[in-house]
Amino acid sequence: MKKYMLILLFIFVPFLLSADPITVMESLLTEREADFGKAAYLVFTAAKLIPEDATTEAALEMLREKGWKRMRTEPGPPTMLGDFSYMIMKSFNLSGGIMFSIIPGPRYSAREMKFRGFTSGDTAVTRILSGEDVVRIIGRVLEFQEALQ
Amino acid sequence: MVKRLIISIFIFAAVCLPAVTQDTARVKEFSGKVQFKEGSGGWQSIEKGTTISLGSTIATSFNSTALLDLGSSELFIKALTSMTIENLMREENKVTTSLKLNVGRVSAKVKTGEGLTHDFKLQSSYTTAAVRGTEFDFDGVRIITKDGVVTFYNKIGQKRTVLQGQQSTAVTATETPVSTEVATEQTTVVEPDTTEEPAETPDLATVAETIEAPSVTIAIQ
Amino acid sequence: MKANRLFLIPFLFLCAVMALPALDGGGTIDNLSALDIETQTGFRQIDRLTLWADTSIGESFYTRVQGSYTFSLNKPYLFDLERLLFRGSFLLGGNSRLLLGFTAGRFFVEDFSGQVLSHTLDGIRVNLDIPLFKSSLFFGSSALLFNDPSRIVMTRHDAADKSDSARILASPRLIGMVNLRFIDLFLQQDLSVSYLMQIDLRADSELTDQTAGGKLNSHYFGVGLGGALIPDLFWDSFGYFSIGSTLANIGGSYAYSTILSWTAGAGIRWYPEKKLYSRLLFRGIFTSGDADNATFLEGNTFGNSTLFVPIAAREMDTVFSPQSGNLIIAELHYALKPLAPLGGIGGQFQTELMGYLFLRPTQGGISESYNTASQSYYVGTEIDLALRFRPASDLGLSLTGGVFIPNNSSGGVFLSTQKSLTTSIKLSASFSF
């Protein structure tokens, strides 16, 4: 009996821990300071870099593997505009300005995102994003990609 | 005698008091992964014809859309969107629709009819769109009117009337919705000066949450 | 060695800003190179480095500092503090829907039309927003601004100071402004109401010789209306009435005389976006003049000066750029994005053709040297072409060419020795980091 229980646990635990875009989105909408792991999950699934049933941990692991310089890789809140913008720019292969080409990183990613109309207001890299901000920005990037196609 | 009196009262009430019915939303079409939950219940997948009741939240995933029939209006929910149905009421000549766009983008077609008053309110955490017999796109901070007239409010209650072919935005909860000319100009102007000027009004979103957004009732002629 | 050290400044500033996470900062390098051809050919080159830093303190407070260094062939060292401000905003919650804010320090101030005041000043502004309107109250001064970047020239002393390289501070004035703007009051129209005042703070010790000029104090009462006419067509209009006092030379003796003057304007703009993101603009601005003025500034000789003197109107980017006062300007502009169908970077290229007609409402003087015997009202015509390109988010380029055709025919407003056909070609670049 115990053996069967253990086998069942091994089969179902991955499904229990795996994420889903709608669940992650709804969870983010309740967060005044977005969790960086969830933000990374949504960005990578939107950019089709990981499957939708991957976990937020898998998303962070992907981020570490990418090895992007000056990129945060730790989970938890808050998600800052600079890190988030940089993740979007790299995941969606968006070109930046001259300074982004010379020093790619959070600072010039945040400026580029505003220039493209994906974000508005303050471009300080330390600006904290809410869950709603994260989802809205990803939505705008997807809208831009759709228009390109 | 008493029985006759009670029956008379019931007949009188049925005839004289306005009939108030609670509408529900129905899924007309959908694509991809779309789910809904009732109140704090669990997520359920939708199908064509699924009825979505008051207080429910509907959400779409990537590359997914849904078209809802709300009776006197139609709502097209785009990808990565979450929306809650707060009120759907019909009483004789008046329809009240109140929706909360938690995040994402929607396109709405609000139907008109002679002698019909439609109080249609679509609210986001930053702005409110109040409409009369119209079609528009809304993503929480930007409104694009495709047909008819939309009144677009920020959290303070400052408004902009947005006609067909026009758009307006309010990038913070307290920023005055930009005039429809400024919104148009943003797409036509090329600015060679790269100097960055800070926003006049900061985002007071936390405090703005405590304010109930205004609504409007407009009689359709 | 000096040039290398100067180049290090933006690099070190950037390193400092990147090392302090709570602070945001950056800068811009602007270059303007211009060729002006009139009777002779002149070359202008202006390079400016601007550095800024700002930070938010909680949700309600914000502070910014911005300074610049400008190099030009005429003046190799010009430093300026452009912004030093502290801003607060408070939203009264519950359901009261009231936004209260303030800005203190050095910041940009402009009236709703830009035709009376459009200038950086030191002071404090309080603003109040309610559902129906936005309002603001400003009180400040120009006394601590540097003379070189200042554009406040209202008296002959101000004009003399502008050409005095030893003068450090700008024309000292106390300035107040109250603005009220009703948003979308009816049929998509905004109604603006404004009052401004300025008091000349020049020391009496500088005014002993009245032949060199005196003080000028003024008040301005304005109203404006504008908004959408139909979805792609917009308009605006404004009118200001001004009263005040200015030095006059009546019958050979100097005395202060009243000012009763006005300015008004209207414009219409059409945006047929489907036609390559076009914009068509037509605008007319009128500023009253005085036929009795012997000179443009403080030249009244008959009392009751009717010359409109703004505090510092918005600058015109034209070849011929006279000061406001005794002028009628009619403009027609057409702009489009000819490469927009290519998509991508094509949408960041714009061309604009501009035409200006300059007239004067009276035979009195304008701010430029003119033919005092002329009875003509036609001053001249200008045609400009601008090409603007934003190839990257941090790089902007523009090339502008213009020709001013003055009325220097026999009896014209200008003598041929005062003004001839003037051509200007300007290339400017702006890079931010």
Side-chain angles (χ1 to χ4, degrees), chain C residues 299-330:
Chain C
N300 184 259
T301 57
F302 212 69
N304 289 334
S305 173
T306 51
L307 177 72
F308 183 79
V309 185
I311 302 171
R314 204 181 280 157
E315 276 187 293
M316 280 181 70
D317 188 19
T318 44
V319 177
F320 180 59
S321 306
Q323 258 182 269
S324 274
N326 198 30
L327 268 183
I328 300 171
I329 305 172

PDB file of all heavy atoms in Angstrom, chain C residues 299-330:
ATOM      1  N   GLY C 299       9.151 102.982 -25.306  1.00  0.00           N
ATOM      2  CA  GLY C 299       9.285 104.074 -26.272  1.00  0.00           C
ATOM      3  C   GLY C 299       8.051 104.943 -26.386  1.00  0.00           C
ATOM      4  O   GLY C 299       7.960 105.763 -27.294  1.00  0.00           O
ATOM      5  N   ASN C 300       7.096 104.782 -25.481  1.00  0.00           N
ATOM      6  CA  ASN C 300       5.858 105.534 -25.606  1.00  0.00           C
ATOM      7  C   ASN C 300       6.086 107.039 -25.495  1.00  0.00           C
ATOM      8  O   ASN C 300       6.832 107.491 -24.624  1.00  0.00           O
ATOM      9  CB  ASN C 300       4.866 105.055 -24.532  1.00  0.00           C
ATOM     10  CG  ASN C 300       3.519 105.721 -24.676  1.00  0.00           C
ATOM     11  OD1 ASN C 300       3.188 106.655 -23.954  1.00  0.00           O
ATOM     12  ND2 ASN C 300       2.756 105.261 -25.654  1.00  0.00           N
ATOM     13  N   THR C 301       5.429 107.794 -26.360  1.00  0.00           N
ATOM     14  CA  THR C 301       5.626 109.241 -26.362  1.00  0.00           C
ATOM     15  C   THR C 301       4.320 110.004 -26.192  1.00  0.00           C
ATOM     16  O   THR C 301       4.294 111.229 -26.310  1.00  0.00           O
ATOM     17  CB  THR C 301       6.279 109.685 -27.703  1.00  0.00           C
ATOM     18  OG1 THR C 301       5.419 109.243 -28.769  1.00  0.00           O
ATOM     19  CG2 THR C 301       7.661 109.102 -27.876  1.00  0.00           C
ATOM     20  N   PHE C 302       3.246 109.285 -25.944  1.00  0.00           N
ATOM     21  CA  PHE C 302       1.953 109.972 -25.925  1.00  0.00           C
ATOM     22  C   PHE C 302       1.113 109.572 -24.731  1.00  0.00           C
ATOM     23  O   PHE C 302      -0.019 110.019 -24.591  1.00  0.00           O
ATOM     24  CB  PHE C 302       1.214 109.604 -27.235  1.00  0.00           C
ATOM     25  CG  PHE C 302       0.319 110.712 -27.733  1.00  0.00           C
ATOM     26  CD1 PHE C 302       0.862 111.895 -28.232  1.00  0.00           C
ATOM     27  CD2 PHE C 302      -1.057 110.569 -27.716  1.00  0.00           C
ATOM     28  CE1 PHE C 302       0.052 112.904 -28.689  1.00  0.00           C
ATOM     29  CE2 PHE C 302      -1.884 111.582 -28.190  1.00  0.00           C
ATOM     30  CZ  PHE C 302      -1.327 112.753 -28.677  1.00  0.00           C
ATOM     31  N   GLY C 303       1.620 108.706 -23.871  1.00  0.00           N
ATOM     32  CA  GLY C 303       0.821 108.224 -22.741  1.00  0.00           C
ATOM     33  C   GLY C 303      -0.060 107.072 -23.198  1.00  0.00           C
ATOM     34  O   GLY C 303      -0.287 106.894 -24.392  1.00  0.00           O
ATOM     35  N   ASN C 304      -0.561 106.300 -22.237  1.00  0.00           N
ATOM     36  CA  ASN C 304      -1.432 105.148 -22.525  1.00  0.00           C
ATOM     37  C   ASN C 304      -0.813 104.236 -23.578  1.00  0.00           C
ATOM     38  O   ASN C 304      -1.277 104.122 -24.712  1.00  0.00           O
ATOM     39  CB  ASN C 304      -2.818 105.587 -23.008  1.00  0.00           C
ATOM     40  CG  ASN C 304      -3.622 106.195 -21.881  1.00  0.00           C
ATOM     41  OD1 ASN C 304      -3.388 105.876 -20.708  1.00  0.00           O
ATOM     42  ND2 ASN C 304      -4.531 107.080 -22.217  1.00  0.00           N
ATOM     43  N   SER C 305       0.237 103.557 -23.191  1.00  0.00           N
ATOM     44  CA  SER C 305       0.919 102.650 -24.109  1.00  0.00           C
ATOM     45  C   SER C 305       0.030 101.465 -24.431  1.00  0.00           C
ATOM     46  O   SER C 305      -0.543 100.825 -23.548  1.00  0.00           O
ATOM     47  CB  SER C 305       2.221 102.144 -23.474  1.00  0.00           C
ATOM     48  OG  SER C 305       2.793 101.147 -24.282  1.00  0.00           O
ATOM     49  N   THR C 306      -0.100 101.164 -25.731  1.00  0.00           N
ATOM     50  CA  THR C 306      -0.902 100.005 -26.149  1.00  0.00           C
ATOM     51  C   THR C 306      -0.032  98.874 -26.675  1.00  0.00           C
ATOM     52  O   THR C 306      -0.527  97.937 -27.287  1.00  0.00           O
ATOM     53  CB  THR C 306      -1.924 100.419 -27.226  1.00  0.00           C
ATOM     54  OG1 THR C 306      -1.217 101.133 -28.261  1.00  0.00           O
ATOM     55  CG2 THR C 306      -3.014 101.302 -26.651  1.00  0.00           C
ATOM     56  N   LEU C 307       1.265  98.960 -26.428  1.00  0.00           N
ATOM     57  CA  LEU C 307       2.158  97.877 -26.857  1.00  0.00           C
ATOM     58  C   LEU C 307       2.070  96.712 -25.871  1.00  0.00           C
ATOM     59  O   LEU C 307       2.254  96.882 -24.665  1.00  0.00           O
ATOM     60  CB  LEU C 307       3.612  98.361 -26.918  1.00  0.00           C
ATOM     61  CG  LEU C 307       4.649  97.286 -27.278  1.00  0.00           C
ATOM     62  CD1 LEU C 307       4.551  96.908 -28.748  1.00  0.00           C
ATOM     63  CD2 LEU C 307       6.063  97.763 -26.955  1.00  0.00           C
ATOM     64  N   PHE C 308       1.788  95.515 -26.383  1.00  0.00           N
ATOM     65  CA  PHE C 308       1.711  94.337 -25.521  1.00  0.00           C
ATOM     66  C   PHE C 308       3.119  93.858 -25.212  1.00  0.00           C
ATOM     67  O   PHE C 308       3.905  93.587 -26.130  1.00  0.00           O
ATOM     68  CB  PHE C 308       0.912  93.218 -26.191  1.00  0.00           C
ATOM     69  CG  PHE C 308       0.756  92.012 -25.302  1.00  0.00           C
ATOM     70  CD1 PHE C 308      -0.198  91.999 -24.294  1.00  0.00           C
ATOM     71  CD2 PHE C 308       1.576  90.895 -25.468  1.00  0.00           C
ATOM     72  CE1 PHE C 308      -0.333  90.899 -23.462  1.00  0.00           C
ATOM     73  CE2 PHE C 308       1.445  89.798 -24.641  1.00  0.00           C
ATOM     74  CZ  PHE C 308       0.491  89.799 -23.632  1.00  0.00           C
ATOM     75  N   VAL C 309       3.437  93.762 -23.921  1.00  0.00           N
ATOM     76  CA  VAL C 309       4.758  93.294 -23.497  1.00  0.00           C
ATOM     77  C   VAL C 309       4.578  92.045 -22.643  1.00  0.00           C
ATOM     78  O   VAL C 309       4.140  92.137 -21.488  1.00  0.00           O
ATOM     79  CB  VAL C 309       5.512  94.376 -22.689  1.00  0.00           C
ATOM     80  CG1 VAL C 309       6.936  93.901 -22.377  1.00  0.00           C
ATOM     81  CG2 VAL C 309       5.549  95.704 -23.441  1.00  0.00           C
ATOM     82  N   PRO C 310       4.889  90.868 -23.171  1.00  0.00           N
ATOM     83  CA  PRO C 310       4.768  89.665 -22.351  1.00  0.00           C
ATOM     84  C   PRO C 310       5.928  89.584 -21.361  1.00  0.00           C
ATOM     85  O   PRO C 310       6.913  90.317 -21.499  1.00  0.00           O
ATOM     86  CB  PRO C 310       4.861  88.532 -23.374  1.00  0.00           C
ATOM     87  CG  PRO C 310       5.704  89.102 -24.463  1.00  0.00           C
ATOM     88  CD  PRO C 310       5.436  90.574 -24.499  1.00  0.00           C
ATOM     89  N   ILE C 311       5.839  88.701 -20.404  1.00  0.00           N
ATOM     90  CA  ILE C 311       6.947  88.500 -19.446  1.00  0.00           C
ATOM     91  C   ILE C 311       8.061  87.743 -20.187  1.00  0.00           C
ATOM     92  O   ILE C 311       9.202  88.181 -20.245  1.00  0.00           O
ATOM     93  CB  ILE C 311       6.478  87.723 -18.201  1.00  0.00           C
ATOM     94  CG1 ILE C 311       5.329  88.467 -17.519  1.00  0.00           C
ATOM     95  CG2 ILE C 311       7.647  87.519 -17.230  1.00  0.00           C
ATOM     96  CD1 ILE C 311       4.638  87.689 -16.402  1.00  0.00           C
ATOM     97  N   ALA C 312       7.724  86.612 -20.761  1.00  0.00           N
ATOM     98  CA  ALA C 312       8.667  85.840 -21.593  1.00  0.00           C
ATOM     99  C   ALA C 312       7.833  84.832 -22.362  1.00  0.00           C
ATOM    100  O   ALA C 312       7.506  83.772 -21.834  1.00  0.00           O
ATOM    101  CB  ALA C 312       9.704  85.128 -20.740  1.00  0.00           C
ATOM    102  N   ALA C 313       7.459  85.194 -23.602  1.00  0.00           N
ATOM    103  CA  ALA C 313       6.607  84.305 -24.396  1.00  0.00           C
ATOM    104  C   ALA C 313       7.415  83.098 -24.877  1.00  0.00           C
ATOM    105  O   ALA C 313       8.639  83.118 -24.904  1.00  0.00           O
ATOM    106  CB  ALA C 313       6.026  85.057 -25.585  1.00  0.00           C
ATOM    107  N   ARG C 314       6.673  82.065 -25.265  1.00  0.00           N
ATOM    108  CA  ARG C 314       7.297  80.841 -25.783  1.00  0.00           C
ATOM    109  C   ARG C 314       8.147  81.195 -26.995  1.00  0.00           C
ATOM    110  O   ARG C 314       7.748  82.000 -27.839  1.00  0.00           O
ATOM    111  CB  ARG C 314       6.192  79.873 -26.207  1.00  0.00           C
ATOM    112  CG  ARG C 314       6.585  78.414 -26.230  1.00  0.00           C
ATOM    113  CD  ARG C 314       5.434  77.576 -26.694  1.00  0.00           C
ATOM    114  NE  ARG C 314       4.458  77.308 -25.661  1.00  0.00           N
ATOM    115  CZ  ARG C 314       3.186  76.995 -25.883  1.00  0.00           C
ATOM    116  NH1 ARG C 314       2.732  76.930 -27.108  1.00  0.00           N
ATOM    117  NH2 ARG C 314       2.355  76.758 -24.898  1.00  0.00           N
ATOM    118  N   GLU C 315       9.324  80.573 -27.101  1.00  0.00           N
ATOM    119  CA  GLU C 315      10.230  80.885 -28.222  1.00  0.00           C
ATOM    120  C   GLU C 315       9.732  80.314 -29.537  1.00  0.00           C
ATOM    121  O   GLU C 315       9.169  79.219 -29.567  1.00  0.00           O
ATOM    122  CB  GLU C 315      11.593  80.250 -27.939  1.00  0.00           C
ATOM    123  CG  GLU C 315      12.476  81.098 -27.067  1.00  0.00           C
ATOM    124  CD  GLU C 315      13.868  80.525 -26.952  1.00  0.00           C
ATOM    125  OE1 GLU C 315      14.029  79.435 -26.353  1.00  0.00           O
ATOM    126  OE2 GLU C 315      14.796  81.149 -27.459  1.00  0.00           O
ATOM    127  N   MET C 316       9.966  81.049 -30.592  1.00  0.00           N
ATOM    128  CA  MET C 316       9.650  80.537 -31.924  1.00  0.00           C
ATOM    129  C   MET C 316      10.939  80.014 -32.547  1.00  0.00           C
ATOM    130  O   MET C 316      11.960  80.694 -32.494  1.00  0.00           O
ATOM    131  CB  MET C 316       9.106  81.668 -32.807  1.00  0.00           C
ATOM    132  CG  MET C 316       7.652  81.987 -32.566  1.00  0.00           C
ATOM    133  SD  MET C 316       7.076  83.299 -33.642  1.00  0.00           S
ATOM    134  CE  MET C 316       7.057  82.490 -35.233  1.00  0.00           C
ATOM    135  N   ASP C 317      10.890  78.863 -33.139  1.00  0.00           N
ATOM    136  CA  ASP C 317      12.088  78.281 -33.752  1.00  0.00           C
ATOM    137  C   ASP C 317      12.110  78.633 -35.233  1.00  0.00           C
ATOM    138  O   ASP C 317      11.959  77.769 -36.097  1.00  0.00           O
ATOM    139  CB  ASP C 317      12.076  76.758 -33.540  1.00  0.00           C
ATOM    140  CG  ASP C 317      13.387  76.118 -33.978  1.00  0.00           C
ATOM    141  OD1 ASP C 317      14.397  76.844 -34.090  1.00  0.00           O
ATOM    142  OD2 ASP C 317      13.387  74.897 -34.224  1.00  0.00           O
ATOM    143  N   THR C 318      12.224  79.933 -35.511  1.00  0.00           N
ATOM    144  CA  THR C 318      12.184  80.394 -36.893  1.00  0.00           C
ATOM    145  C   THR C 318      13.429  81.206 -37.193  1.00  0.00           C
ATOM    146  O   THR C 318      14.131  81.627 -36.281  1.00  0.00           O
ATOM    147  CB  THR C 318      10.943  81.279 -37.120  1.00  0.00           C
ATOM    148  OG1 THR C 318      10.807  82.192 -36.008  1.00  0.00           O
ATOM    149  CG2 THR C 318       9.676  80.457 -37.207  1.00  0.00           C
ATOM    150  N   VAL C 319      13.667  81.480 -38.471  1.00  0.00           N
ATOM    151  CA  VAL C 319      14.819  82.283 -38.876  1.00  0.00           C
ATOM    152  C   VAL C 319      14.629  83.709 -38.353  1.00  0.00           C
ATOM    153  O   VAL C 319      15.523  84.313 -37.788  1.00  0.00           O
ATOM    154  CB  VAL C 319      14.964  82.279 -40.419  1.00  0.00           C
ATOM    155  CG1 VAL C 319      16.108  83.170 -40.853  1.00  0.00           C
ATOM    156  CG2 VAL C 319      15.156  80.852 -40.929  1.00  0.00           C
ATOM    157  N   PHE C 320      13.411  84.237 -38.569  1.00  0.00           N
ATOM    158  CA  PHE C 320      13.072  85.571 -38.090  1.00  0.00           C
ATOM    159  C   PHE C 320      12.302  85.404 -36.781  1.00  0.00           C
ATOM    160  O   PHE C 320      11.208  84.853 -36.777  1.00  0.00           O
ATOM    161  CB  PHE C 320      12.217  86.298 -39.149  1.00  0.00           C
ATOM    162  CG  PHE C 320      11.802  87.688 -38.760  1.00  0.00           C
ATOM    163  CD1 PHE C 320      12.752  88.662 -38.466  1.00  0.00           C
ATOM    164  CD2 PHE C 320      10.462  88.034 -38.703  1.00  0.00           C
ATOM    165  CE1 PHE C 320      12.382  89.948 -38.115  1.00  0.00           C
ATOM    166  CE2 PHE C 320      10.076  89.327 -38.356  1.00  0.00           C
ATOM    167  CZ  PHE C 320      11.035  90.278 -38.063  1.00  0.00           C
ATOM    168  N   SER C 321      12.889  85.816 -35.664  1.00  0.00           N
ATOM    169  CA  SER C 321      12.264  85.585 -34.351  1.00  0.00           C
ATOM    170  C   SER C 321      12.188  86.870 -33.557  1.00  0.00           C
ATOM    171  O   SER C 321      12.918  87.045 -32.582  1.00  0.00           O
ATOM    172  CB  SER C 321      13.074  84.564 -33.534  1.00  0.00           C
ATOM    173  OG  SER C 321      13.272  83.394 -34.244  1.00  0.00           O
ATOM    174  N   PRO C 322      11.292  87.778 -33.952  1.00  0.00           N
ATOM    175  CA  PRO C 322      11.182  89.015 -33.185  1.00  0.00           C
ATOM    176  C   PRO C 322      10.485  88.756 -31.863  1.00  0.00           C
ATOM    177  O   PRO C 322       9.817  87.733 -31.686  1.00  0.00           O
ATOM    178  CB  PRO C 322      10.314  89.891 -34.086  1.00  0.00           C
ATOM    179  CG  PRO C 322       9.471  88.917 -34.841  1.00  0.00           C
ATOM    180  CD  PRO C 322      10.297  87.687 -35.020  1.00  0.00           C
ATOM    181  N   GLN C 323      10.614  89.720 -30.947  1.00  0.00           N
ATOM    182  CA  GLN C 323       9.880  89.628 -29.678  1.00  0.00           C
ATOM    183  C   GLN C 323       8.413  89.906 -29.946  1.00  0.00           C
ATOM    184  O   GLN C 323       8.064  90.627 -30.891  1.00  0.00           O
ATOM    185  CB  GLN C 323      10.396  90.712 -28.725  1.00  0.00           C
ATOM    186  CG  GLN C 323      11.353  90.189 -27.677  1.00  0.00           C
ATOM    187  CD  GLN C 323      11.768  91.306 -26.742  1.00  0.00           C
ATOM    188  OE1 GLN C 323      12.759  91.976 -26.967  1.00  0.00           O
ATOM    189  NE2 GLN C 323      10.974  91.523 -25.700  1.00  0.00           N
ATOM    190  N   SER C 324       7.556  89.370 -29.088  1.00  0.00           N
ATOM    191  CA  SER C 324       6.131  89.666 -29.169  1.00  0.00           C
ATOM    192  C   SER C 324       5.910  91.155 -28.966  1.00  0.00           C
ATOM    193  O   SER C 324       6.620  91.792 -28.214  1.00  0.00           O
ATOM    194  CB  SER C 324       5.391  88.937 -28.045  1.00  0.00           C
ATOM    195  OG  SER C 324       5.072  87.652 -28.429  1.00  0.00           O
ATOM    196  N   GLY C 325       4.893  91.671 -29.613  1.00  0.00           N
ATOM    197  CA  GLY C 325       4.582  93.104 -29.467  1.00  0.00           C
ATOM    198  C   GLY C 325       4.476  93.727 -30.840  1.00  0.00           C
ATOM    199  O   GLY C 325       5.420  93.657 -31.625  1.00  0.00           O
ATOM    200  N   ASN C 326       3.315  94.309 -31.142  1.00  0.00           N
ATOM    201  CA  ASN C 326       3.087  94.937 -32.446  1.00  0.00           C
ATOM    202  C   ASN C 326       3.337  93.943 -33.590  1.00  0.00           C
ATOM    203  O   ASN C 326       4.017  94.256 -34.571  1.00  0.00           O
ATOM    204  CB  ASN C 326       3.971  96.173 -32.633  1.00  0.00           C
ATOM    205  CG  ASN C 326       3.453  97.075 -33.739  1.00  0.00           C
ATOM    206  OD1 ASN C 326       2.252  97.139 -34.008  1.00  0.00           O
ATOM    207  ND2 ASN C 326       4.363  97.780 -34.396  1.00  0.00           N
ATOM    208  N   LEU C 327       2.780  92.775 -33.433  1.00  0.00           N
ATOM    209  CA  LEU C 327       2.979  91.751 -34.460  1.00  0.00           C
ATOM    210  C   LEU C 327       1.696  90.977 -34.706  1.00  0.00           C
ATOM    211  O   LEU C 327       0.929  90.711 -33.773  1.00  0.00           O
ATOM    212  CB  LEU C 327       4.036  90.738 -34.020  1.00  0.00           C
ATOM    213  CG  LEU C 327       5.479  90.971 -34.405  1.00  0.00           C
ATOM    214  CD1 LEU C 327       6.324  89.808 -33.927  1.00  0.00           C
ATOM    215  CD2 LEU C 327       5.673  91.162 -35.901  1.00  0.00           C
ATOM    216  N   ILE C 328       1.506  90.613 -35.968  1.00  0.00           N
ATOM    217  CA  ILE C 328       0.475  89.629 -36.316  1.00  0.00           C
ATOM    218  C   ILE C 328       1.214  88.517 -37.051  1.00  0.00           C
ATOM    219  O   ILE C 328       1.943  88.791 -38.009  1.00  0.00           O
ATOM    220  CB  ILE C 328      -0.611  90.231 -37.236  1.00  0.00           C
ATOM    221  CG1 ILE C 328      -1.311  91.407 -36.556  1.00  0.00           C
ATOM    222  CG2 ILE C 328      -1.635  89.162 -37.622  1.00  0.00           C
ATOM    223  CD1 ILE C 328      -2.238  92.188 -37.480  1.00  0.00           C
ATOM    224  N   ILE C 329       1.070  87.297 -36.569  1.00  0.00           N
ATOM    225  CA  ILE C 329       1.752  86.164 -37.209  1.00  0.00           C
ATOM    226  C   ILE C 329       0.694  85.163 -37.633  1.00  0.00           C
ATOM    227  O   ILE C 329      -0.115  84.728 -36.823  1.00  0.00           O
ATOM    228  CB  ILE C 329       2.752  85.486 -36.251  1.00  0.00           C
ATOM    229  CG1 ILE C 329       3.751  86.499 -35.700  1.00  0.00           C
ATOM    230  CG2 ILE C 329       3.492  84.351 -36.971  1.00  0.00           C
ATOM    231  CD1 ILE C 329       4.647  85.964 -34.600  1.00  0.00           C
ATOM    232  N   ALA C 330       0.715  84.810 -38.912  1.00  0.00           N
ATOM    233  CA  ALA C 330      -0.164  83.755 -39.418  1.00  0.00           C
ATOM    234  C   ALA C 330       0.735  82.600 -39.856  1.00  0.00           C
ATOM    235  O   ALA C 330       1.717  82.812 -40.560  1.00  0.00           O
ATOM    236  CB  ALA C 330      -0.998  84.255 -40.583  1.00  0.00           C
TER     237      ALA C 330
END
